[in-house]
Amino acid sequence: MTIDDTLAPAGHAGGAPIWSAATLPWRLAEIAAAGALAGVLIILLWLDPRPDLRAAAGQAFFWIKAAYPAAVAACALLAATWLARGQRGGVIALAVAGAGGCAMLIAAAVQASTMAPAILAALLWPAGAICLGDILILAAPMLALTVAGLRDVDLPRPALTGFACGLFCGGVAASIDGLHCWQGTYAFVGPWFTLAMLASGALGASAIALLARRRLRFPAE
């Protein structure tokens, strides 16, 4: 008996399908593991690891920078699971992720207020846009697999579930991006990592909602 069999809906003799509301957390976990490995390879072979990686790993902010998006991803995983199953708590899990994001943005604003305008401007452009693009590149394979897996799954709240799934992929990608991104300030990580995760969530919401509308318009025979 597999874990999917134990999650099969009552009366479903053949067990749960590969992608369903019941199996969603396991599929997302598998995608995260594969996406993390792919992200490391992308960094090693294309984006290049940060040159001070060994020294940075001994600093507290390196781990804060990884823990923040990882915590957002964990909340998003819970939210996606509960939303897909029509259970209460999905919106609350997203709110917890939002509270973490707000805390990081407040820390960024406080730190930015002490920085010289020239230094702050350097954090905003073009470094921020590059960081955002890198995270979305790392998230893209995971997001594509998630959308493909959910294309035939009927979800009670497709847009919000898609947002949670996209936020999850973005959080995993942002955690991995710390191996490449050398920026070490709240003023940079707060806005740009948050924006990248929200962008990934928006892509997930748009794609899943579009597929849901397409199923309603062209139901399978």
Side-chain angles (χ1 to χ4, degrees), residues 132-133 135-144 146-148 150 158-170 195-211 213:
L132 189 151
I135 292 174
L136 290 180
I137 287 171
L138 297 176
M142 292 181 281
L143 192 55
T146 302
V147 171
L150 291 174
L160 200 56
T161 305
F163 177 79
C165 289
L167 191 65
F168 172 76
C169 296
L195 183 58
M197 290 187 286
L198 288 175
S200 180
L203 290 172
S206 300
I208 297 299
L210 180 64
L211 289 174
R213 287 196 297 269

Side-chain angles (χ1 to χ4, degrees), residues 88-190:
R88 295 181 178 179
V91 175
I92 295 176
L94 287 178
V96 172
C102 288
M104 182 63 74
L105 290 174
I106 291 172
V110 171
Q111 188 178 57
S113 67
T114 66
M115 291 181 168
I119 296 176
L120 188 58
L123 295 178
L124 297 178
W125 191 268
I130 293 172
C131 173
L132 189 151
D134 289 343
I135 292 174
L136 290 180
I137 287 171
L138 297 176
M142 292 181 281
L143 192 55
L145 287 173
T146 302
V147 171
L150 291 174
R151 68 188 184 278
D152 294 324
V153 178
D154 290 323
L155 300 169
R157 304 176 72 175
L160 200 56
T161 305
F163 177 79
C165 289
L167 191 65
F168 172 76
C169 296
V172 173
S175 295
I176 299 301
D177 189 58
L179 299 174
H180 164 70
C181 175
W182 59 269
Q183 298 284 353
T185 62
Y186 288 101
F188 182 89
V189 172

